[in-house]
Amino acid sequence: MLGTMKSRGVPVVPAVAAAAAIILFVFTAGQPAATAAIVEHTFIVSQVNMTRSCKETLVTVVNGQLPGPAIEVTEGDSLSVHVVNKSPYNITIHWHGVKQRLSCWADGVPMITQCPLRPNHNFTYRFDVAGQEGTLWWHAHVGCFRATLHGALIIRPRHGASSYPFPKPHVEIPMIIGEWWDMDLVQLERNMVDGDFRDNPTAMTINGQLGDPFNCSGIVKDGFVLDVEAGMTYLLRLINAALFTEFYLKIAGHKFTVVASDANYVNPYTTDTIAIAPGETMDVLVVANAPPGKYYMVAVALQTPKPDQQLPFFMTSGMVQYRSGHSHNNGTTGHHNVAPVVPELPDQHDTITTYYFHGNLTSLRHPRRPQVPVHADEYFFITLSDGSICRHGRQSCKRSGSNESMLVAAMNNVSFQLPATVAAPLLEAHYYHRNNTASIGGVDLYMLPNSPPRVFNFTDLSLVPSGPKEAQLEATKKRMVGRRFRHGTAVEVVFQNTALMQTGSHPMHLHGHDVFVLAQDHGIYDPAKDVAKYNLVDPPVKNTVVVPRLGWVALRFVADNPGLWYVHCHFDFHMIMGMDAVFIVDDGPTVASILPPPPDDLPNCNHGDNHASNELLYPHEGKGSVLQS
Ligand SMILES: *[C@@H]1O[C@H](CO)[C@@H](O)[C@H](O)[C@H]1NC(C)=O
Ligand SMILES: *[C@@H]1O[C@H](CO)[C@@H](O)[C@H](O)[C@H]1NC(C)=O
Ligand SMILES: *[C@@H]1O[C@H](CO)[C@@H](O)[C@H](O)[C@H]1NC(C)=O
Ligand SMILES: *[C@@H]1O[C@H](CO)[C@@H](O)[C@H](O)[C@H]1NC(C)=O
Ligand SMILES: *[C@@H]1O[C@H](CO)[C@@H](O)[C@H](O)[C@H]1NC(C)=O
Ligand SMILES: *[C@@H]1O[C@H](CO)[C@@H](O)[C@H](O)[C@H]1NC(C)=O
Ligand SMILES: *[C@@H]1O[C@H](CO)[C@@H](O)[C@H](O)[C@H]1NC(C)=O
Ligand SMILES: *[C@@H]1O[C@H](CO)[C@@H](O)[C@H](O)[C@H]1NC(C)=O
Ligand SMILES: *[C@@H]1O[C@H](CO)[C@@H](O)[C@H](O)[C@H]1NC(C)=O
Ligand SMILES: *[C@@H]1O[C@H](CO)[C@@H](O)[C@H](O)[C@H]1NC(C)=O
Ligand SMILES: [Cu+2]
C-alpha cells in the first residue's frame, strides 16, 4: 500500500490523490515569479471493508484509502475540495489549522459553521491557504469519524523547497499516527454522549498499518516501512489523528530534529523521542546515518499513572529499512537477514518527557513569524475538568459514577452543548443577527466566565475518584457557552488543568487562529510569579496546545478573523462530553476584515436546495434560551 511512499527524491503523494488533484495556475499580476494556483480535489466519502486486526471491518474513508489522500499546496494557493458523500452518515470535513481568514464558512464544524453534508449530497469547500507553511491535516469533524476520515495537508513555501529554513530533505513523507477501532464509530459516539467512555481502540496505527503485534493465523502483519538510503535526509510530516491518545515516537539508532509544528517553523530541536498529541503536527528531519540495517520505529500511547483509571498498554511499530547499496555489499546477502534493531521503549506513564518536549519548542525567526502581543486586552483563567450533570433534567442526584448522573467535561465549570432546537448552523444565525451581542440568532450565548466560579486545590490528587472531595465538586451544567470579541482583541488564556476525576493532559485546539504559547508549568498558576516566565521573544506558534498534566499553560492570540470559531479539547471524548466553547470574532473596520456572506451552495439542514431558508429558522427577536440544563 505504501509503495508510492518509497519513491525517492519525489514529493510523496498517494497515487489516488495525485490522480484526483487538478491544479490550475493563475498568474498574479505584478508578481511575475509567483503563481497562485487553484488546487482541486474530489473526496468521495464511502464505506469499504478493510482487513485489520485479523478481521474485516466496514470503515468510512475518503477515496477508498486509509489514511485519506494527502493534499499538497503551495503557500498562497486556493483549495477547492469537492466532497461527495456516498456514506450513510452526515459528514463535514475540517481543515485543521488552516487559518480560514474570512472563510469561516469553510471551517467544517457541524452545526457551528455549516449543516452537515447529508448522505448522497456533495459540497465544495473553497478557501485560501495563505500565511502558513508546513504540515496541517484534514479530518471529519462529526462524531468519531476522524478515526478513519483524515489525511495530510502539506503547504510548501512559495519559492520551493530550497527556501525551507532547514537543510533541504531528499524525501518527504507524511506519517499519520492513529487508532484502529473494530468497534462501530457511531456506537462509540453514542456511548460517549451518554457519558460512557470505557471503550478502547483495538490497536494503534502508523499510516493505517497496525504493525507487528498482530499475528493472524500465524501471519505477522506488515507495518509501515520507510525505505531509506544511507546518507539521505528524510522529512517526516507527523500527524496525530488519534481520538484518545498522545504518543511517543522513537526510531532505534536515529535522532529527530523538529523543524516545524502546526505549520509554523521552530528553532531546530534535536531529540530521540517525539511527543505528539491529538491534533498536533510535527515536521521532523531524520538523517539515515546509522549502519545499514533495519530499525524499528515505535509509537507508544501515553497514559497517566494511577490513581487515574488504567487502560491497556498500546503501541504500534513500523520499520526503517536501509536499501542495500553496492558500497555495503561485501559479498554477503546484505543486512536482510539481520534482526532489526529495537529502540528502548518509552514508558507509557512518563508524563515529563512530553512536558519537556513541548517546553523546548520555540519559534524560528522567519519573515512569516507573527508578532507576539506585548499585552492582552482580555484575560481568561480557564480550568479544565470532568464533571457530572443529573440525568433527565433533575436538579439533584447521586454522583460519583452513579447512573443517576452523567459524566461530562467542562471549562470553568460549564459544559458546552448546542441549543436543543438548533436548526441552522450557529455561524449563519450569528451572521444574520450580528448586532445582537447577547445571543446568536435568538439563542442565548452563555458567557464563558473569565475565571472559575470556585477556587479549590486544582491539582490535589485526592480529587481523583472516588472520594468525598471529588463528589462535592463534580457538579456542573450544560450551556451554549462562549465569548464574543471585538475585532483585533488580544486575548490571553491560561488553561489550568485540574485533577477533578482524572489527571490527564488536554490538547486544546482553537479554530481560525494560531496562538502563542508563552509558558507552562506544573501546579497552580499564580500570576504574581508566573507572568515573569512568559516568553515574549520566541514563543512557539501553535493551533493545538498541550495543557500539561497537573499544570497550566499560558497563551495569547489576536482575535482578528471574523466568524464563529470552535475551541475544544482534541481528545474526541472530551470534545463530545463538552470541553468546548465558541469564540465569536466581530467584523473589523475595513472591507478586508468583514466576513463575506455564506457561499450559495452551503448545505441546508432541511431538504431545501440551499442555505437561504435557514435564515428563517431563527427568529429575529429571540425570547430566552431554549437550552436544557
Ligand atoms: C463488506 O463485507 C460484508 C460481509 O462480507 C458484505 O456483506 C458487504 O457488502 C461489504 N460491504 C462493502 C461496502 O463492500
Ligand atoms: C454535486 O452535486 C451537483 C448537484 O446535485 C451535481 O451537479 C454535481 O455533478 C455533483 N458533483 C459531483 C462531483 O458529484
Ligand atoms: C504467530 O502465531 C503462530 C500460531 O498461532 C505462532 O506459532 C507464532 O509463534 C506466532 N508468531 C508471533 C511472532 O507471535
Ligand atoms: C560484510 O558485512 C557484514 C555487515 O557489515 C559484516 O558483518 C561481515 O563481516 C562482512 N563480511 C566480509 C567478508 O567482510
Ligand atoms: C528541554 O528539555 C530538557 C530535557 O530534555 C529539560 O531539562 C529542559 O527543562 C527543557 N526545557 C524546557 C524549557 O522545558
Ligand atoms: C441504575 O443502576 C442500578 C444499579 O445498578 C439499576 O438497578 C438501575 O436499573 C439503573 N437505573 C437506570 C435508570 O439505568
Ligand atoms: C447593525 O448596526 C449598524 C450600526 O448601528 C447598522 O448600521 C446596521 O444596519 C445594523 N445591521 C442590522 C442587520 O441590523
Ligand atoms: C494541593 O494538593 C497538593 C497535592 O495533594 C498538595 O501537595 C498541596 O499542598 C495542596 N495545596 C494546598 C494549597 O492545599
Ligand atoms: C459548578 O456548577 C454547578 C452548577 O451550577 C455548581 O453546583 C457547582 O457548585 C459548581 N462547582 C464549582 C467547583 O464551581
Ligand atoms: C443529518 O443531518 C440532518 C440535518 O442536516 C438531520 O436532520 C439528520 O437527523 C442528521 N442525521 C443523522 C444520522 O444525524
Ligand atoms: Cu481533554
Side-chain angles (χ1 to χ4, degrees):
M1 165 214 169
L2 293 158
T4 53
M5 297 205 165
K6 295 178 182 174
S7 56
R8 166 188 147 194
V10 180
V12 182
V13 199
V16 175
I22 305 164
I23 301 184
L24 309 168
F25 286 96
V26 179
F27 289 86
T28 47
Q31 281 179 298
T35 56
I38 299 168
V39 178
E40 293 194 47
H41 282 261
T42 299
F43 277 17
I44 315 253
V45 180
S46 74
Q47 292 185 297
V48 300
N49 283 315
M50 284 191 177
T51 304
R52 298 283 193 287
S53 78
C54 318
K55 66 175 190 229
E56 210 175 55
T57 308
L58 196 59
V59 292
T60 309
V61 295
V62 168
N63 297 354
Q65 297 170 252
L66 182 67
I71 292 179
E72 303 195 32
V73 299
T74 298
E75 188 278 318
D77 284 352
S78 299
L79 250 181
S80 182
V81 183
H82 314 290
V83 181
V84 181
N85 187 6
K86 296 281 178 206
S87 83
Y89 309 112
N90 283 345
I91 295 296
T92 65
I93 305 287
H94 169 59
W95 315 92
H96 182 110
V98 173
K99 287 183 190 161
Q100 299 287 12
R101 182 156 291 272
L102 303 182
S103 54
C104 190
W105 302 107
D107 198 40
V109 190
M111 299 325 291
I112 305 257
T113 64
Q114 69 166 104
C115 303
L117 197 49
R118 279 171 286 145
N120 289 314
H121 283 66
N122 60 29
F123 174 59
T124 303
Y125 288 90
R126 295 172 214 273
F127 53 91
D128 297 338
V129 183
Q132 34 191 176
E133 296 172 13
T135 306
L136 294 172
W137 58 300
W138 56 265
H139 62 79
H141 215 300
V142 172
C144 298
F145 284 111
R146 154 154 74 89
T148 54
L149 288 168
H150 61 242
L153 200 171
I154 295 163
I155 310 163
R156 295 222 161 71
R158 176 131 301 273
H159 300 289
S162 56
S163 62
Y164 282 141
F166 48 79
K168 189 175 169 223
H170 298 92
V171 182
E172 303 185 9
I173 291 146
M175 223 171 97
I176 301 182
I177 305 176
E179 290 153 347
W180 179 262
W181 291 83
D182 278 341
M183 189 178 171
D184 177 49
L185 296 175
V186 173
Q187 186 59 44
L188 174 64
E189 184 197 0
R190 261 187 225 127
N191 294 353
M192 295 200 290
V193 167
D194 198 41
D196 173 355
F197 58 94
R198 285 170 299 179
D199 302 308
N200 286 314
T202 311
M204 303 299 159
T205 57
I206 296 177
N207 282 346
Q209 303 292 98
L210 266 54
D212 253 10
F214 284 84
N215 179 9
C216 312
S217 350
I219 302 158
V220 177
K221 292 285 169 200
D222 280 338
F224 169 70
V225 177
L226 173 60
D227 271 333
V228 300
E229 194 150 317
M232 303 226 301
T233 299
Y234 295 80
L235 174 61
L236 308 183
R237 297 176 176 274
L238 304 174
I239 296 163
N240 182 344
L243 301 184
F244 280 75
T245 344
E246 202 177 330
F247 283 98
Y248 286 135
L249 178 76
K250 277 187 126 166
I251 299 178
H254 294 76
K255 284 189 183 300
F256 304 98
T257 300
V258 186
V259 292
S261 178
D262 295 2
N264 287 288
Y265 295 118
V266 299
N267 287 306
Y269 170 56
T270 299
T271 173
D272 63 3
T273 306
I274 298 290
I276 187 167
E280 285 191 295
T281 71
M282 299 287 160
D283 289 359
V284 306
L285 298 175
V286 174
V287 181
N289 57 5
K294 291 184 186 177
Y295 298 85
Y296 268 114
M297 58 173 85
V298 295
V300 168
L302 266 77
Q303 67 173 326
T304 46
K306 286 177 179 173
D308 284 5
Q309 190 191 329
Q310 295 298 292
L311 306 176
F313 171 70
F314 282 110
M315 66 158 283
T316 180
S317 62
M319 190 77 77
V320 170
Q321 185 171 280
Y322 282 68
R323 283 195 199 89
S324 42
H326 298 293
S327 54
H328 305 295
N329 192 342
N330 61 3
T332 67
T333 51
H335 57 259
H336 288 291
N337 299 321
V338 176
V341 184
V342 181
E344 194 190 331
L345 271 198
D347 174 3
Q348 60 164 339
H349 290 123
D350 167 8
T351 54
I352 198 74
T353 297
T354 173
Y355 176 80
Y356 285 148
F357 176 90
H358 287 94
N360 270 280
L361 300 182
T362 50
S363 67
L364 183 77
R365 196 186 172 93
H366 182 268
R368 226 177 259 305
R369 183 170 73 177
Q371 203 66 39
V372 194
V374 187
H375 23 240
D377 303 310
E378 293 200 33
Y379 293 87
F380 289 84
F381 177 68
I382 300 177
T383 53
L384 303 175
S385 65
D386 290 355
S388 67
I389 56 164
C390 296
R391 288 183 190 271
H392 314 300
R394 294 213 186 93
Q395 290 305 306
S396 68
C397 56
K398 283 199 197 125
R399 302 198 184 252
S400 300
S402 154
N403 61 3
E404 290 184 13
S405 61
M406 189 173 101
L407 271 182
V408 299
M411 292 191 214
N412 276 348
N413 197 26
V414 195
S415 181
F416 181 84
Q417 81 175 0
L418 281 166
T421 59
V422 70
L426 296 179
L427 178 60
E428 206 166 301
H430 158 74
Y431 183 80
Y432 292 111
H433 303 82
R434 275 167 297 171
N435 282 7
N436 186 342
T437 53
S439 79
I440 301 178
V443 178
D444 286 350
L445 179 70
Y446 185 91
M447 288 263 281
L448 176 68
N450 290 71
S451 54
R454 209 190 313 179
V455 171
F456 54 94
N457 187 349
F458 301 122
T459 55
D460 186 350
L461 277 180
S462 63
L463 290 171
V464 178
S466 58
K469 277 195 197 167
E470 163 266 328
Q472 277 169 25
L473 289 166
E474 68 172 82
T476 184
K477 56 179 172 283
K478 291 228 137 221
R479 293 288 185 274
M480 184 175 77
V481 62
R483 277 300 276 263
R484 186 161 176 163
F485 299 107
R486 206 182 58 251
H487 188 272
T489 304
V491 182
E492 176 171 318
V493 177
V494 174
F495 283 118
Q496 172 70 57
N497 232 326
T498 69
L500 201 51
M501 308 198 104
Q502 296 277 314
T503 70
S505 63
H506 300 281
M508 299 303 292
H509 174 52
L510 172 62
H511 290 214
H513 300 78
D514 279 343
V515 306
F516 301 91
V517 186
L518 305 182
Q520 62 167 3
D521 205 346
H522 290 112
I524 297 174
Y525 174 76
D526 175 3
K529 62 178 173 58
D530 290 330
V531 170
K533 297 177 190 158
Y534 285 9
N535 173 2
L536 298 174
V537 177
D538 60 358
V541 185
K542 303 271 295 167
N543 63 58
T544 304
V545 179
V546 180
V547 186
R549 168 179 197 261
L550 300 174
W552 54 266
V553 68
L555 56 92
R556 279 185 195 162
F557 69 96
V558 181
D560 60 0
N561 189 8
L564 199 146
W565 305 103
Y566 206 28
V567 52
H568 63 94
C569 179
H570 220 271
F571 288 138
D572 228 56
F573 65 118
H574 285 171
M575 183 184 78
I576 289 171
M577 289 162 70
M579 195 176 280
D580 330 320
V582 290
F583 282 176
I584 302 171
V585 180
D586 285 344
D587 284 338
T590 61
V591 175
S593 57
I594 292 175
L595 180 67
D600 286 340
D601 57 347
L602 199 65
N604 192 280
C605 289
N606 307 298
H607 295 277
D609 288 322
N610 57 46
H611 69 95
S613 62
N614 286 340
E615 195 183 341
L616 304 173
L617 297 171
Y618 278 96
H620 280 257
E621 290 301 319
K623 292 280 184 286
S625 167
V626 294
L627 304 176
Q628 305 169 314
S629 84

